[in-house]
Amino acid sequence: MLKDHLCGELTANNVGEKVTLAGWVHRRRDHGNLIFIDVRDRSGIVQVVFNPENAREAHHAAEALRSEFVIRLTGKAMPRPEGTENKKMPTGAVEILAETLEILNESKTPPFYVNEEVEVDESLRLKFRYLDIRRERMRDNIILRHKVVTFMRQYLNDRGFLEIETPILLKSTPEGARDYLVPSRLYPGKFYALAQSPQQLKQLLMVAGVEKYYQIARCFRDEDLRADRQMEFTQLDLEMSFVDEDDMMQLLEGLFSSLVETVTPGKTFRKPFPRLSFHDIMDRYGCDKPDLRFGMELADISDIVAGCGFGVFSNTVARGGVVKAISAPGCGAYNKSQIEELIELSKKLGAAGLVPIALGGEGVELGQLSMDKVKSVAAKYLTLDQVKAIASRTGAGAGDLILVVAGERERTNAVLGQLRNELGARLNLADPNELAFAFVVDFPLFTWNEEDNRWQATHHPFTAPRPEDMPLLIEQPGKVHGRHYDLVLNGYEIAGGSIRIHQPELQRQVFRILGHSEERIQTLFGQLLDAFEYGAPPHGGVAPGIDRVVAILAGEPTIREVIAFPKNQAGLDLLFGSPSEVTQTQIDAVHISVKLPE
Amino acid sequence: MLKDHLCGELTANNVGEKVTLAGWVHRRRDHGNLIFIDVRDRSGIVQVVFNPENAREAHHAAEALRSEFVIRLTGKAMPRPEGTENKKMPTGAVEILAETLEILNESKTPPFYVNEEVEVDESLRLKFRYLDIRRERMRDNIILRHKVVTFMRQYLNDRGFLEIETPILLKSTPEGARDYLVPSRLYPGKFYALAQSPQQLKQLLMVAGVEKYYQIARCFRDEDLRADRQMEFTQLDLEMSFVDEDDMMQLLEGLFSSLVETVTPGKTFRKPFPRLSFHDIMDRYGCDKPDLRFGMELADISDIVAGCGFGVFSNTVARGGVVKAISAPGCGAYNKSQIEELIELSKKLGAAGLVPIALGGEGVELGQLSMDKVKSVAAKYLTLDQVKAIASRTGAGAGDLILVVAGERERTNAVLGQLRNELGARLNLADPNELAFAFVVDFPLFTWNEEDNRWQATHHPFTAPRPEDMPLLIEQPGKVHGRHYDLVLNGYEIAGGSIRIHQPELQRQVFRILGHSEERIQTLFGQLLDAFEYGAPPHGGVAPGIDRVVAILAGEPTIREVIAFPKNQAGLDLLFGSPSEVTQTQIDAVHISVKLPE
């Protein structure tokens, strides 16, 4: 090795040692005759002093050093002169008195600072990703990701899981998300598809008697781009035999709580993870992946306002709708334009309107509230007792702003759920240090697709129905619950899982309910159904998304920050510049021709 | 969990315990009233007894059991009656007296035996892979593969390596092997390519200051099919900064020797791994990945036969060619048709001919050899002393068959090298228990491509030239040695590695020698060359092939045996039946049209 010590690991214990270091020029400062170079390698930074009286040649060579030059040096570890120690640096008690210096490579001036955590345009960061990764934040994210997958593997290995690789080039099954197609050269006119997930393969592994399988699996979906979606992503793909929902949730709770304790020990979380019913959280939070780090629950106030005479409320209730509200803490003094903005936002989210009720007089006890402190278009229709009841139910106090939406239940939940998320973010209600895990259960197995006028699988068609709901399957599929368990964390679904169907006839039945013809069932899923005829064990699984989990643990807003070489929001690789035109020879080899759209 | 014990782990220590098991019916035997079921799960097999006097209901249910049914049962672990213990089974001292039985799933009669290690047609095994994996051999291979990658990761993690994922969808660079193309839907007329290896990405990670990187990486090459090549394969991709060849070879030797000691402790190997020069092994073994488990080295006998008068020999030497020989032990009594077959084989391999010299009289000392025991068309041109000299140099004794090839050096080496491999296999010369690792070094950096009349990179264009050969680079590129180190094992190259170029100007120079225009250099490698301008450290790496390593450790002849879901020799997935036709909608979405070849 060209070095025998790591820069970031030098401490007072090394004083007196002769060391050989290699790394990058992080920062240079000149003080009179002396040249101070902060030398950086992956482990951290140490200060090196070039003193012409100590080493004339090395000092002369050091005069040429610029930021990001690659150097190798020898020197002696010395205590820093009294008063010059840097307590903020792990190596701040020592400095290296250089003896020799070798410049291994030079560097142009970088397009942005590597040695400062300044805001840099993301496209520049992606174009120069190799420089971005030298910065502390990205380096730490990449190390964290390594620790996360290392921990997950170890945890599962210790519990008898086998890591098994499954193929990425598969048969195209035009089902679910859009496939990436790969034209076959050897079979002209035919295509492979890139695996969207190892779902069927891992179920086949259960049929194969593997019992406990996992894989850190790369998956591919040609979906339309969103701000935070990559064309390829990574999941911890996992499947077990002879288990029920409880076994799987226990495994996940153990895995994730141990993970956090090990890789981000400063984070707080609650254990056991709450298990919440889908219908319950839709009512309380208006979405199936609520951020549970703050309250602001949706309160149903229909009964309070049913007869109040304010048409928006009472007519809605009369029509079978609901009136629900949340309280925005400390927003009671919002001015007219702030209020207007919230109303506009609600309309954008799909509400007919929003009725704010501002409770003035911050600091006043709710009991002392008087109607003159209540500002709302609905105020004149409400008694003080009604306002107090609404306040009590939403958890509002004086100084808060109650936001009321009236309408059909699902839409009202959805609007208030999104308002809740938006206000939670604006008001910084969530503790950034908290990890609020929860399981969501009791999902319906099927969801009615209004557009296509047919049932669709709430998660995917392999999920087993609850045994006690089996009698409803044919006649009332909408009432059947699935054996799902989703794991949510801070407003994200980080894992979707379920106990699967393992009986071929039941699986066919579910495909039929989803509207597939017998022929299509055999074409798309024949390999799995055939396998189920040969002794398929009961089994279940889950697939936590690695990118998202790491991003949350790292406190990063987007998954791009935890991927070494991501594509940008438009799906472009700014470093490699893909996708690219290919040669006619390449196109001819796979027997396709390119049709440019008009 | 539906079980509280694993079948294969029950021993005399469990006697008296009540156990719940779940698994597959491995074998059923009926003895009078008693039904004996061998129950199998991933851990192994245990015998369960259904006795109607003990549990009438369970016994009745057991009557329905057939091979590969999935069952769950409770029972009590009992010592087997004296004289019925099975010492061959780990669980052979106990049996489970069943109390309850539940049939979790039924099974059709499998198309081949799961409970016997019989030869089954491979296409049937691939079509029913989920049954094949239930068999002991495939289960053990899959467990071995898990152990291999687990060990490799642990070994590298312990040494400060970071596991980093790199993208699979990249820019197409029509260079090296053929790319798999992926049409882009969002960028009509453009394509991604599936990564052939993370080569440039891992070098960028070194520029990024990662210093120690690895990844168990999936790679894709659209190459023509061979018996033992998959369209996608897995390599341990690894790169380090601030290292030289010696550091890398030490790392590999440590990794592979510890790996073998841990996962296949019964195997033998020699340490330190020999380091062999490319030119030397081409001369001694006729190939760059010799199987070193047996000798049969190529002996140059040109000097002995130069003046013998046998035209094939003497004329070849006179023309500047070589006469070389190997000795096939114990083949001295081959009959005419066996000899003819070897001559035909040599011709197929590219030799002008083959001259066998059979030494008769097995058991006779070489010193007692007489010419009447020597059978060869060349015999009458050779003196006894010459024959003895040839025998001595090839290591032949009485009873052996010396095979002589005359011709141009490289072709002669190649022919004898292949003959050596063929005879080594036919004569079972290699100890199946031995792992003969060796490093091959001193490769030339460039190899002349006769066909295209240009230099090509012996390995790949990123390999650094030896510093001492730098003065030859422009004028005599053929004389420059590269800083490669290949690791060979039992006749396979299991890892190719090198110290890389890290200076942009030198890298450009190498691309120019390879005949690339400046424009092409920028298009194909611009991202790497640009990165090298910003402080690229010296670095090197290696990429052992996981599939091959596991196959060798498992003692399997093909890599398909150590891949859970491989494609067959024709690149077809017999389980999923890919590649497939796709819908017109899918084709339209990616703006391509399919051209069926005439």
Side-chain angles (χ1 to χ4, degrees):
Chain A
M1 290 283 300
L2 297 181
K3 54 165 111 178
D4 56 23
H5 282 75
L6 297 176
C7 297
E9 294 179 0
L10 294 167
T11 66
N13 293 333
N14 299 93
V15 164
E17 282 179 40
K18 191 168 166 174
V19 300
T20 304
L21 303 177
W24 286 260
V25 172
H26 189 64
R27 195 174 275 116
R28 168 182 172 162
R29 274 157 296 133
D30 293 27
H31 276 294
N33 264 347
L34 303 177
I35 300 174
F36 290 86
I37 302 287
D38 282 351
V39 182
R40 184 192 70 238
D41 63 17
R42 201 186 82 197
S43 66
I45 293 163
V46 72
Q47 177 172 296
V48 178
V49 192
F50 291 87
N51 184 335
E53 288 170 27
N54 183 64
R56 176 161 303 279
E57 264 186 63
H59 180 270
H60 180 67
E63 285 175 344
L65 295 183
R66 301 285 176 273
S67 282
E68 302 307 317
F69 274 34
V70 187
I71 58 174
R72 182 190 191 203
L73 62 98
T74 60
K76 200 166 165 185
M78 313 282 280
R80 287 208 195 174
E82 223 177 296
T84 68
E85 299 96 339
N86 183 342
K87 298 234 162 112
K88 284 186 206 152
M89 283 173 78
T91 65
V94 291
E95 62 186 16
I96 308 302
L97 185 59
E99 289 168 12
T100 65
L101 173 66
E102 191 183 344
I103 296 179
L104 298 174
N105 215 345
E106 303 190 344
S107 173
K108 285 188 188 170
T109 304
F112 51 81
Y113 290 110
V114 169
N115 57 14
E116 277 176 39
E117 206 39 70
V118 290
E119 202 63 45
V120 178
D121 177 62
E122 198 193 23
S123 61
L124 199 60
R125 290 177 53 210
L126 291 175
K127 187 172 171 198
F128 292 91
R129 195 59 155 185
Y130 44 87
L131 297 178
D132 196 32
I133 294 175
R134 286 186 199 167
R135 304 207 298 170
E136 197 173 1
R137 170 179 161 202
M138 275 303 293
R139 183 203 60 182
D140 288 351
N141 287 351
I142 280 175
I143 292 174
L144 177 66
R145 185 176 182 124
H146 165 82
K147 286 182 179 168
V148 167
V149 295
T150 298
F151 179 86
M152 286 176 165
R153 286 204 181 92
Q154 187 65 52
Y155 191 89
L156 296 170
N157 290 348
D158 289 348
R159 281 153 186 81
F161 282 80
L162 291 182
E163 185 179 2
I164 301 177
E165 292 186 76
T166 56
I168 283 176
L169 289 167
L170 283 177
K171 187 177 74 168
S172 175
T173 56
E175 190 61 12
R178 203 180 282 107
D179 280 326
Y180 279 108
L181 298 178
V182 184
S184 163
R185 181 172 55 86
L186 296 170
Y187 300 93
K190 300 203 166 188
F191 291 79
Y192 296 95
L194 300 183
Q196 294 192 21
S197 93
Q199 182 64 32
Q200 290 193 59
L201 291 156
K202 70 177 174 175
Q203 292 195 246
L204 288 170
L205 287 173
M206 294 303 105
V207 181
V210 166
E211 297 197 41
K212 294 179 173 187
Y213 143 90
Y214 80 93
Q215 182 182 196
I216 308 284
R218 196 75 60 86
C219 304
F220 302 83
R221 289 181 199 170
D222 190 8
E223 295 186 351
D224 285 331
L225 295 163
R226 285 195 209 144
D228 203 21
R229 179 187 279 163
Q230 291 283 307
M231 301 156 53
E232 49 188 302
F233 59 96
T234 304
Q235 67 189 27
L236 170 60
D237 197 56
L238 187 153
E239 199 82 4
M240 277 178 92
S241 294
F242 305 114
V243 289
D244 62 20
E245 297 88 323
D246 203 51
D247 298 316
M248 291 304 303
M249 285 189 275
Q250 275 182 35
L251 176 78
L252 285 169
E253 181 173 301
L255 172 63
F256 278 96
S257 56
S258 304
L259 172 70
V260 172
E261 284 161 5
T262 306
V263 306
T264 51
K267 301 270 183 188
T268 61
F269 64 92
R270 195 152 65 94
K271 197 176 160 185
F273 299 171
R275 296 182 185 185
L276 309 172
S277 147
F278 170 72
H279 290 286
D280 187 37
I281 60 165
M282 292 308 285
D283 258 358
R284 285 163 61 196
Y285 304 103
C287 81
D288 62 357
K289 40 181 189 281
D291 189 338
L292 299 169
R293 288 175 299 172
F294 60 97
M296 206 193 274
E297 290 190 21
L298 282 53
D300 190 335
I301 58 168
S302 306
D303 57 327
I304 303 173
V305 300
C308 73
F310 184 54
V312 174
F313 294 169
S314 44
N315 293 348
T316 298
V317 178
R319 279 200 308 269
V322 294
V323 182
K324 298 186 72 165
I326 56 174
S327 161
C331 302
Y334 266 22
N335 62 28
K336 201 176 160 192
S337 77
Q338 287 175 301
I339 295 279
E340 275 305 321
E341 194 261 345
L342 286 179
I343 292 172
E344 279 315 302
L345 178 60
S346 310
K347 286 180 179 166
K348 235 182 267 169
L349 296 175
L354 174 77
V355 179
I357 305 176
L359 305 187
E362 195 148 7
V364 172
E365 291 278 308
L366 195 57
Q368 261 107 52
L369 191 73
S370 57
M371 277 311 283
D372 63 315
K373 297 284 185 199
V374 177
K375 288 203 181 116
S376 174
V377 293
K380 58 181 164 185
Y381 301 97
L382 297 171
T383 67
L384 182 59
D385 278 349
Q386 283 173 325
V387 172
K388 282 183 180 172
I390 293 169
S392 164
R393 209 170 279 177
T394 56
D400 295 346
L401 177 68
I402 299 170
L403 301 172
V404 187
V405 173
E408 181 269 326
R409 177 179 298 270
E410 278 183 32
R411 170 163 300 199
T412 303
N413 282 343
V415 170
L416 279 172
Q418 289 174 83
L419 266 183
R420 174 180 178 275
N421 286 341
E422 179 61 30
L423 286 166
R426 287 188 191 182
L427 303 174
N428 287 316
L429 297 184
D431 175 359
N433 202 40
E434 188 186 350
L435 297 171
F437 292 98
F439 289 108
V440 181
V441 294
D442 301 337
F443 285 91
L445 188 61
F446 302 104
T447 309
W448 184 250
N449 185 323
E450 290 285 354
E451 219 166 289
D452 300 351
N453 203 35
R454 63 176 185 91
W455 290 110
Q456 64 186 34
T458 303
H459 283 52
H460 60 53
F462 310 107
T463 300
R466 274 204 204 147
E468 61 267 35
D469 294 347
M470 283 293 291
L472 304 168
L473 191 63
I474 306 295
E475 299 296 328
Q476 297 179 282
K479 292 202 172 164
V480 176
H481 291 87
R483 301 179 66 181
H484 309 99
Y485 36 86
D486 278 3
L487 181 58
V488 300
L489 171 59
N490 293 5
Y492 292 94
E493 181 204 315
I494 59 164
S498 64
I499 300 299
R500 326 295 189 186
I501 297 168
H502 66 284
Q503 308 93 331
E505 198 35 56
L506 175 58
Q507 184 66 75
R508 276 179 208 281
Q509 190 55 56
V510 166
F511 287 135
R512 281 183 208 119
I513 292 170
L514 295 172
H516 293 302
S517 68
E518 297 300 319
E519 192 196 339
R520 192 171 164 78
I521 292 171
Q522 198 55 37
T523 307
L524 295 184
F525 307 108
Q527 60 282 343
L528 192 65
L529 291 164
D530 290 348
F532 281 181
E533 301 282 356
Y534 291 95
H539 61 285
V542 71
I546 299 285
D547 305 308
R548 175 59 60 198
V549 167
V550 178
I552 295 174
L553 293 181
E556 291 288 359
T558 80
I559 60 170
R560 286 193 300 279
E561 302 294 345
V562 298
I563 295 173
F565 298 107
K567 298 196 170 36
N568 75 356
Q569 293 198 27
L572 291 172
D573 184 324
L574 296 188
L575 182 56
F576 277 81
S578 66
S580 54
E581 281 154 30
V582 297
T583 64
Q584 195 58 45
T585 316
Q586 285 179 295
I587 292 178
D588 289 345
V590 290
H591 309 284
I592 60 173
S593 63
V594 179
K595 271 192 309 187
L596 287 178
E598 278 106 59
Chain B
M1 290 283 299
L2 298 182
K3 55 166 111 180
D4 56 22
H5 283 75
L6 297 176
C7 296
E9 295 180 359
L10 294 167
T11 65
N13 294 332
N14 298 95
V15 164
E17 283 179 41
K18 192 170 164 174
V19 301
T20 304
L21 303 177
W24 287 260
V25 173
H26 189 63
R27 194 174 276 117
R28 169 182 172 161
R29 274 157 297 134
D30 291 29
H31 277 293
N33 264 346
L34 304 177
I35 300 174
F36 291 86
I37 302 287
D38 282 351
V39 182
R40 185 192 69 236
D41 63 16
R42 200 187 82 196
S43 66
I45 294 163
V46 73
Q47 177 171 298
V48 177
V49 191
F50 292 87
N51 184 337
E53 287 171 26
N54 182 66
R56 176 162 305 278
E57 264 187 61
H59 181 270
H60 181 65
E63 285 175 343
L65 295 182
R66 300 286 175 271
S67 280
E68 302 307 317
F69 274 34
V70 187
I71 59 174
R72 183 191 191 202
L73 61 98
T74 60
K76 201 167 164 186
M78 311 285 279
R80 289 209 195 174
E82 224 176 295
T84 69
E85 298 97 339
N86 183 343
K87 298 232 162 110
K88 284 188 206 152
M89 284 174 75
T91 64
V94 292
E95 61 186 17
I96 308 301
L97 185 58
E99 290 168 10
T100 66
L101 173 66
E102 191 183 343
I103 295 179
L104 298 173
N105 215 346
E106 302 190 345
S107 172
K108 287 189 190 169
T109 302
F112 51 81
Y113 290 110
V114 170
N115 57 12
E116 278 177 38
E117 206 41 71
V118 290
E119 202 62 44
V120 179
D121 176 63
E122 198 191 23
S123 61
L124 199 62
R125 290 177 53 209
L126 291 176
K127 187 173 172 199
F128 292 91
R129 195 59 155 185
Y130 44 87
L131 297 179
D132 195 32
I133 295 174
R134 286 187 199 165
R135 304 206 299 170
E136 196 174 3
R137 171 179 159 198
M138 275 303 294
R139 182 202 64 182
D140 288 351
N141 286 350
I142 279 174
I143 292 174
L144 177 66
R145 186 175 181 124
H146 165 82
K147 285 182 181 168
V148 168
V149 295
T150 298
F151 180 87
M152 286 176 166
R153 286 203 181 91
Q154 187 65 53
Y155 191 89
L156 296 170
N157 291 348
D158 288 348
R159 282 153 185 81
F161 282 80
L162 291 182
E163 184 179 2
I164 300 177
E165 291 185 76
T166 55
I168 284 175
L169 289 167
L170 282 178
K171 188 175 75 168
S172 174
T173 55
E175 190 62 12
R178 204 180 281 110
D179 280 325
Y180 278 108
L181 299 178
V182 184
S184 163
R185 182 173 54 85
L186 296 170
Y187 300 93
K190 299 201 170 190
F191 292 77
Y192 296 95
L194 300 183
Q196 294 193 21
S197 94
Q199 181 65 33
Q200 289 192 58
L201 292 156
K202 70 177 173 175
Q203 292 194 247
L204 288 170
L205 286 174
M206 294 304 104
V207 181
V210 166
E211 298 198 40
K212 293 179 174 188
Y213 143 90
Y214 79 94
Q215 182 183 198
I216 307 284
R218 196 75 61 86
C219 305
F220 302 82
R221 290 183 197 167
D222 189 8
E223 296 185 352
D224 285 331
L225 294 163
R226 285 194 209 146
D228 202 20
R229 179 186 278 162
Q230 291 283 307
M231 299 155 54
E232 49 188 302
F233 59 95
T234 304
Q235 67 189 27
L236 169 60
D237 197 56
L238 187 155
E239 198 82 5
M240 279 180 91
S241 294
F242 305 114
V243 289
D244 61 21
E245 297 89 323
D246 203 51
D247 297 316
M248 293 303 303
M249 285 189 275
Q250 275 182 35
L251 177 77
L252 286 169
E253 182 173 300
L255 171 63
F256 278 96
S257 55
S258 304
L259 172 70
V260 171
E261 284 162 6
T262 307
V263 306
T264 51
K267 300 271 184 185
T268 61
F269 63 92
R270 196 152 64 95
K271 198 177 160 185
F273 298 171
R275 297 183 184 184
L276 309 172
S277 149
F278 170 71
H279 289 287
D280 187 37
I281 59 165
M282 292 308 285
D283 258 358
R284 286 164 61 198
Y285 304 102
C287 82
D288 61 358
K289 39 183 189 284
D291 189 338
L292 300 168
R293 289 176 298 172
F294 60 96
M296 205 193 276
E297 292 191 21
L298 281 52
D300 190 335
I301 57 167
S302 307
D303 58 326
I304 302 173
V305 301
C308 74
F310 184 54
V312 175
F313 295 169
S314 45
N315 293 347
T316 298
V317 178
R319 281 198 310 268
V322 292
V323 182
K324 299 187 72 167
I326 55 175
S327 163
C331 302
Y334 266 22
N335 62 28
K336 200 175 158 189
S337 77
Q338 286 174 302
I339 295 279
E340 274 306 319
E341 195 262 344
L342 286 179
I343 293 174
E344 279 315 301
L345 178 61
S346 309
K347 286 181 180 166
K348 236 184 266 169
L349 296 175
L354 173 78
V355 179
I357 305 176
L359 306 187
E362 197 149 5
V364 173
E365 291 278 308
L366 195 57
Q368 262 106 51
L369 190 74
S370 56
M371 279 308 285
D372 63 313
K373 298 284 185 199
V374 177
K375 285 202 184 118
S376 173
V377 293
K380 58 180 165 185
Y381 302 97
L382 297 170
T383 66
L384 181 61
D385 279 350
Q386 283 173 326
V387 173
K388 282 184 180 172
I390 293 169
S392 161
R393 209 171 277 176
T394 56
D400 295 345
L401 178 68
I402 299 169
L403 301 171
V404 187
V405 173
E408 181 269 325
R409 176 179 300 270
E410 277 182 33
R411 169 161 301 196
T412 303
N413 282 342
V415 170
L416 279 172
Q418 290 174 84
L419 267 183
R420 175 182 177 274
N421 287 341
E422 180 61 29
L423 286 167
R426 288 186 190 183
L427 304 173
N428 288 314
L429 298 183
D431 175 358
N433 201 41
E434 187 186 350
L435 298 171
F437 292 99
F439 290 108
V440 181
V441 294
D442 301 336
F443 284 91
L445 188 60
F446 303 104
T447 309
W448 185 251
N449 185 323
E450 290 286 351
E451 218 167 291
D452 301 351
N453 203 32
R454 64 176 186 91
W455 291 109
Q456 64 185 33
T458 303
H459 283 53
H460 60 53
F462 310 107
T463 300
R466 275 205 204 146
E468 61 267 34
D469 293 346
M470 283 293 291
L472 304 169
L473 191 62
I474 307 295
E475 299 297 326
Q476 297 178 281
K479 292 203 172 163
V480 176
H481 290 88
R483 300 179 66 182
H484 309 99
Y485 35 86
D486 279 4
L487 181 58
V488 300
L489 171 59
N490 293 6
Y492 293 96
E493 181 203 314
I494 60 165
S498 65
I499 301 300
R500 325 297 188 186
I501 297 167
H502 66 283
Q503 309 93 330
E505 198 35 56
L506 175 58
Q507 184 67 74
R508 275 180 210 280
Q509 189 56 54
V510 166
F511 287 135
R512 281 182 210 122
I513 292 170
L514 295 172
H516 293 303
S517 67
E518 298 301 318
E519 191 196 340
R520 191 168 166 80
I521 292 171
Q522 198 56 36
T523 306
L524 295 185
F525 306 108
Q527 59 281 347
L528 191 65
L529 290 165
D530 291 348
F532 280 180
E533 302 282 354
Y534 292 95
H539 61 284
V542 72
I546 300 286
D547 305 308
R548 175 58 58 198
V549 166
V550 178
I552 295 174
L553 293 182
E556 290 288 1
T558 81
I559 61 170
R560 288 193 301 278
E561 302 294 344
V562 297
I563 295 173
F565 298 107
K567 299 199 171 33
N568 74 357
Q569 293 199 27
L572 291 171
D573 185 325
L574 296 188
L575 182 56
F576 277 80
S578 65
S580 54
E581 278 153 32
V582 297
T583 65
Q584 194 58 47
T585 316
Q586 287 178 293
I587 292 179
D588 289 345
V590 290
H591 310 283
I592 59 173
S593 63
V594 178
K595 272 192 308 185
L596 288 178
E598 279 108 59

